[in-house]
Structures are given as structure tokens and as C-alpha cells.
Amino acid sequence: MKYFGKIGDKIYLYSLMKSSKIMIYPSYVDSFGIVVAEVLANGLPVVVYDIPAIKHYYGDCKAVKVVRSGDKEALFEAAVELLGNYKEFKQIAIECAKKYSWNTVYAFSSKVLQR
């Protein structure tokens, strides 16, 4: 594991993400979790803290491991679990991401606006 600091080059950032096997996202505050949706769409399973928005939107996805906020040991254990079977979780991640594709979100929004 290596900390890269802030990466301004979007192409380099994307190449790092594509070469990764999981993402650890220990955020304490989030309102939807677009970061989670983006990495799932790229086939990366995610370990997250149990903040309300993340649990609400991604709690039913087996490629998103939710652990108690601040529990670094649980964060580590969940990461090891995902890495141990990352090919399976990669496929699950891609399936979960389909729930939040632009087409799906647009179709849902259109229905709501027509009411």
C-alpha cells in the first residue's frame, strides 16, 4: 500500500484506480456517495464506514463492506475479505453499479418529474 497524496492528473488517477483491486473509503460525511458509485462501475469493491447515506444507497450491495465508523480494525478485516475473493466481488461491484447508471437515474428522475 502506498499513499500518493493529492493527484491532479486525472488520467494518472484513473490508471491507478483501474490497476487497483479494492477501494477503502473511510469517509465520515457523505450525502450520496458518487465516489462509491464510480468505483463500483469500474469493478472495484469498496470498504466504507456506516454513515447513513452510504448504508441507505449501498447497504444491499455485497461488494460494499460497511463497517462501524472509526473502527480501523474492521476496515482492515473487510479489506482483507474483499482482497481474498476480489474477482467475485469485482463482478458484484459492476452489477451493483448498474443501479446508478446515468440511464437508470434519468429514467427514475423522469418518472418522478411526470407525477
Side-chain angles (χ1 to χ4, degrees), residues 40-54:
L40 288 172
N42 283 284
L44 291 178
V46 190
V47 181
V48 297
Y49 281 155
D50 64 349
I51 58 178
I54 299 296

Side-chain angles (χ1 to χ4, degrees), residues 6 25 28 47-48 55-56 59 67 69 73 77 81 86 90 100 103 110:
K6 183 177 179 178
Y25 186 60
Y28 288 99
V47 181
V48 297
K55 286 192 313 186
H56 174 77
V67 301
S69 293
E73 183 68 27
E77 290 170 4
E81 179 185 348
Y86 80 92
K90 177 180 179 126
Y100 298 104
N103 290 338
S110 295

Side-chain angles (χ1 to χ4, degrees), residues 17-83:
M17 185 175 64
K18 290 298 283 183
S19 66
S20 299
K21 293 183 179 172
I22 66 167
M23 178 181 180
I24 299 174
Y25 186 60
S27 177
Y28 288 99
V29 179
D30 209 330
S31 60
F32 169 68
I34 192 71
V35 172
V36 176
E38 289 173 343
V39 296
L40 288 172
N42 283 284
L44 291 178
V46 190
V47 181
V48 297
Y49 281 155
D50 64 349
I51 58 178
I54 299 296
K55 286 192 313 186
H56 174 77
Y57 291 107
Y58 304 103
D60 63 344
C61 176
K62 293 182 181 185
V64 178
K65 296 295 179 187
V66 180
V67 301
R68 193 177 77 237
S69 293
D71 189 342
K72 294 175 189 166
E73 183 68 27
L75 204 64
F76 171 76
E77 290 170 4
V80 169
E81 179 185 348
L82 290 174
L83 285 170

